Amino acid sequence: MKEPNIITSKNLTKIYGKNRSLDKVTLNIPRGSIYGLVGNNGAGKTTFLKILAGHIFPTSGEFTLFEANNPMDYNKVRQRCGCIIENPGFFPKMTAKQNLEYYRIQRGIPGKATVMKVLELTGLSQAYNKRFENMSLGMKQRLGLALALLGEPDLLILDEPINGLDPIGIVEFRNLLLKLNKEKHITILISSHILTELEHIATDFCLLSNGKVLEECTAEKLRENCHTYLSVKVENAKKYAALLEEKLHCTNYKIMPDNTIHIYDNSDNIKCYSELAATLDIGLLSFSKNEINLENYYMHLIGNSKEMI
Amino acid sequence: MLNYIKSDLYRIFHSKGIYVFVTVCSLLLFAMNLINHIANLKIEGFLYGTTDFAFGMVTSSMSYILCIVALFSTVICGDDYKNRTINNSISFGISRKKIYGAKLITALLTSALSLVIILGVLIISGYILLEHSNTGELISLFTAVTACIPALICSLIACLTFYYIFGSVQTMIWGFLGVFVAFPMVISLLALKFHFFQQLNNWLIYSMVSYYSWDENENLVFLWNTTDGFFQLITAGIIGIVIFTIIGIFGIEKKEL
């Protein structure tokens, strides 16, 4: 049985001047999931996360965070969240330990040992005495995660947390997120502009572009959707496209500049497409079944066909 | 809110800012007394080596102290917006109102402590190093400080309000200078010509703490030396505290990060 949603949003909109940063975003984040929010720069990922964290206010629409659905209750349930939004904010002259101690006191978390525990968990136990201003970008990101983990949250909201981490750090970070999700049942909402970054960890995805939801689906469904496509090279691509629509009612295709048609519907039904190309004598030059990765699928969704495949 | 106050006190006392501020202010006053003490010993008939002069220096500089408070408020706010530390607090479910309220209380606690230390250094070093005037100079000092405390609190709250509404230390300083210094200066010029501005000028904090005249013995008389003036200054300070606190509470509620 599917877990109830920990976050739902309905027609959430944020307008800055004439710019619609979020445009009627409706999505559901299941409890216990690792939810990947994916979109290019300016897609509205950070805006959405900032609304959840209370940094900004929505222009219209509504959202539910845990069981809270009105501004009066949001602050209560935010105590159960850990957030890193944009760059982690700390006092530059204070050490890693002092910075975390500051927030531990502020949040009323008992036990001084908690701070060292989260530093250890994020691989910063050796650097506890290092000033924030002297830390590398990767260390700063880890400290941000340590802060988010302070107080054992039920929900982690992470905005592009992998930025600045080295390859080993990225792997460690992914493993840590998986561990937290599996062992502590923490729901993780994580954003990235690189879909493949989240490919191995996310259980659910939401693809955003220009403030709009392009698609919301589970990881399995996404993999299914972008599994294969047919590449058909013909002499007269326009004629073949017309026949696809007329005879096979297929509309999900793209004509590439070199007269190749990419068909995204029914990729398993190769026979129909090949027969159509052959029997009607439109000059079939090549025919192949190709894999499409998540990145390309996203590009296809946002209609950036030139750079797609 | 109590937890926020505790955490802010932890931050303030684990940062250099407050120690530098209190040390510099104390050292300047101590140095003044020390120089006057040395001058007393070296120069015959030196007039300024007295506790009356030392304490009078502070009493007559209340308008500068009002501006120093603006500097002190930078220690309190910790540049929360630049460091993005306020974002974390809000993410953790601490309301903007609580943050603002806690900042005001922390500001009052730390500024009270700083004032006690700085005045302590002035008074103790004055009595140790200088000639005792015995003209009621200590009472004059305490009267001035007591009368100006609401005004000083008002300027502190105004600075924090400007900071949390406008979001940067620079705009806070400019906002403070504009409202607390430039505006009263303009009004005091207009007051020379128009009666309405004269009335208004009488209630502006900067003009009130800067006001002085001479009595028949050519002694300086400040506003707080008269009963009416004393209470007028306290009243103006309290009105200012209420106004800036209300502006701050409503301003920060709508502030987006």
Side-chain angles (χ1 to χ4, degrees):
Chain A
M1 202 178 81
K2 192 142 180 156
E3 290 274 350
N5 295 321
I6 202 164
I7 299 169
T8 57
S9 75
K10 199 176 171 190
N11 293 327
L12 207 58
T13 301
K14 178 68 186 174
I15 301 170
Y16 290 108
K18 288 178 181 174
N19 178 31
R20 249 171 212 272
S21 287
L22 276 188
D23 193 0
K24 294 181 180 169
V25 167
T26 298
L27 49 82
N28 301 290
I29 300 175
R31 195 179 288 264
S33 64
I34 299 181
Y35 192 96
L37 198 60
V38 183
N40 46 4
N41 294 329
K45 307 180 295 291
T46 303
T47 306
F48 181 75
L49 301 183
K50 278 180 155 188
I51 289 175
L52 293 182
H55 296 182
I56 57 173
F57 310 107
T59 309
S60 63
E62 54 194 57
F63 69 96
T64 306
L65 185 62
F66 293 93
E67 59 280 3
N69 57 6
N70 68 72
M72 299 293 281
D73 295 330
Y74 288 144
N75 282 336
K76 278 184 199 161
V77 295
R78 281 187 184 121
Q79 292 169 10
R80 295 164 64 187
C81 302
C83 299
I84 316 177
I85 295 178
E86 293 177 321
N87 302 320
F90 291 100
F91 297 105
K93 302 278 181 199
M94 281 165 72
T95 66
K97 194 180 171 188
Q98 285 173 340
N99 266 301
L100 292 185
E101 181 65 9
Y102 168 78
Y103 287 109
R104 186 192 71 78
I105 298 168
Q106 193 173 98
R107 295 176 67 185
I109 298 165
K112 278 193 168 186
T114 320
V115 167
M116 280 313 287
K117 211 169 124 187
V118 288
L119 283 172
E120 212 163 285
L121 194 66
T122 49
L124 282 175
S125 54
Q126 301 295 314
Y128 76 95
N129 220 7
K130 199 165 189 164
R131 279 186 180 185
F132 181 70
E133 64 183 357
N134 296 333
M135 286 183 158
S136 67
L137 189 58
M139 287 170 102
K140 286 177 179 174
Q141 290 289 66
R142 283 164 188 266
L143 189 62
L145 183 65
L147 174 64
L149 291 172
L150 205 61
E152 301 188 346
D154 296 317
L155 169 68
L156 276 181
I157 298 174
L158 309 173
D159 184 23
E160 311 217 5
I162 294 163
N163 285 357
L165 292 181
D166 55 35
I168 298 169
I170 291 173
V171 174
E172 283 175 1
F173 190 82
R174 279 181 191 154
N175 291 339
L176 178 62
L177 293 186
L178 286 169
K179 192 178 158 191
L180 290 167
N181 178 253
K182 235 176 203 175
E183 291 176 9
K184 301 201 171 182
H185 308 291
I186 298 175
T187 308
I188 299 168
L189 169 57
I190 180 168
S191 80
S192 178
H193 60 278
I194 305 163
L195 187 55
T196 47
E197 257 182 14
L198 305 179
E199 199 178 345
H200 304 294
I201 56 167
T203 57
D204 295 79
F205 282 99
C206 174
L207 309 182
L208 281 172
S209 179
N210 291 324
K212 289 182 180 171
V213 174
L214 296 177
E215 187 165 347
E216 190 190 21
C217 59
T218 61
E220 292 86 57
K221 179 81 176 119
L222 186 65
R223 277 184 209 109
E224 255 173 47
N225 285 353
C226 63
H227 188 59
T228 56
Y229 69 97
L230 292 177
S231 176
V232 185
K233 191 165 186 180
V234 291
E235 281 178 352
N236 190 340
K238 279 185 183 169
K239 190 178 173 187
Y240 185 65
L243 285 168
L244 277 176
E245 289 188 23
E246 191 190 322
K247 304 273 181 191
L248 299 175
H249 308 291
C250 168
T251 52
N252 194 5
Y253 63 82
K254 279 209 184 300
I255 302 175
M256 310 310 283
D258 63 345
N259 266 357
T260 303
I261 296 185
H262 290 174
I263 304 166
Y264 303 101
D265 270 352
N266 253 340
S267 299
D268 293 336
N269 199 358
I270 296 171
K271 204 178 161 193
C272 291
Y273 297 110
S274 59
E275 276 177 4
L276 184 72
T279 55
L280 290 162
D281 192 24
I282 52 163
L284 177 64
L285 299 173
S286 69
F287 195 96
S288 60
K289 187 177 176 181
N290 298 324
E291 293 280 327
I292 181 171
N293 62 26
L294 295 175
E295 207 66 61
N296 290 341
Y297 180 70
Y298 173 68
M299 297 298 276
H300 159 65
L301 279 182
I302 64 170
N304 204 347
S305 57
K306 274 186 185 174
E307 294 165 26
M308 189 176 136
I309 297 160
Chain B
M1 196 191 277
L2 188 63
N3 284 337
Y4 195 97
I5 294 168
K6 280 188 210 166
S7 70
D8 232 27
L9 289 174
Y10 173 86
R11 173 186 62 80
I12 289 167
F13 291 114
H14 280 81
S15 309
K16 278 183 189 165
I18 194 162
Y19 299 110
V20 171
F21 180 84
V22 172
T23 307
V24 168
C25 290
S26 303
L27 276 179
L28 283 172
L29 292 173
F30 178 77
M32 176 184 78
N33 287 344
L34 187 67
I35 290 166
N36 284 340
H37 168 72
I38 294 166
N40 245 357
L41 297 174
K42 302 275 178 193
I43 305 165
E44 206 173 312
F46 183 68
L47 292 173
Y48 307 111
T50 62
T51 50
D52 189 27
F53 175 80
F55 301 166
M57 277 296 285
V58 174
T59 313
S60 59
S61 308
M62 282 299 173
S63 56
Y64 299 109
I65 294 172
L66 206 67
C67 297
I68 291 170
V69 167
L71 279 180
F72 183 75
S73 61
T74 61
V75 174
I76 304 300
C77 68
D79 221 346
D80 269 341
Y81 285 114
K82 192 180 158 197
N83 295 330
R84 307 171 57 81
T85 43
I86 191 170
N87 298 30
N88 295 332
S89 305
I90 287 170
S91 300
F92 295 140
I94 301 168
S95 73
R96 287 164 168 80
K97 267 183 197 168
K98 276 187 185 171
I99 292 173
Y100 178 75
K103 286 280 176 190
L104 295 195
I105 294 168
T106 314
L108 291 180
L109 292 174
T110 47
S111 56
L113 181 67
S114 306
L115 186 70
V116 167
I117 294 169
I118 295 165
L119 279 182
V121 169
L122 172 76
I123 293 166
I124 293 167
S125 65
Y127 277 119
I128 291 171
L129 297 170
L130 303 172
E131 232 173 68
H132 296 193
S133 308
N134 295 326
T135 55
E137 66 276 11
L138 192 59
I139 291 168
S140 293
L141 177 67
F142 283 139
T143 307
V145 171
T146 310
C148 290
I149 273 180
L152 295 175
I153 293 173
C154 171
S155 71
L156 188 63
I157 290 176
C159 285
L160 291 174
T161 298
F162 290 138
Y163 180 75
Y164 284 100
I165 290 177
F166 299 124
S168 81
V169 170
Q170 286 91 335
T171 44
M172 174 189 91
I173 299 282
W174 285 115
F176 173 82
L177 290 176
V179 173
F180 273 78
V181 182
F183 179 69
M185 280 178 171
V186 172
I187 296 297
S188 65
L189 288 175
L190 291 170
L192 299 172
K193 186 93 178 158
F194 305 102
H195 180 69
F196 167 76
F197 290 107
Q198 200 180 338
Q199 295 286 93
L200 179 63
N201 194 42
N202 289 341
W203 284 94
L204 294 176
I205 284 172
Y206 185 80
S207 307
M208 291 165 93
V209 297
S210 309
Y211 172 85
Y212 62 87
S213 61
W214 284 274
D215 63 9
E216 60 274 12
N217 299 323
E218 293 199 354
N219 290 321
L220 273 177
V221 177
F222 298 98
L223 192 68
W224 49 84
N225 292 135
T226 65
T227 310
D228 284 352
F230 181 88
F231 286 109
Q232 192 183 341
L233 188 49
I234 285 182
T235 309
I238 292 170
I239 291 170
I241 289 170
V242 172
I243 290 171
F244 284 107
T245 306
I246 290 170
I247 292 172
I249 288 170
F250 286 101
I252 198 168
E253 271 298 279
K254 296 185 190 308
K255 178 78 181 169
E256 292 201 331
L257 308 174

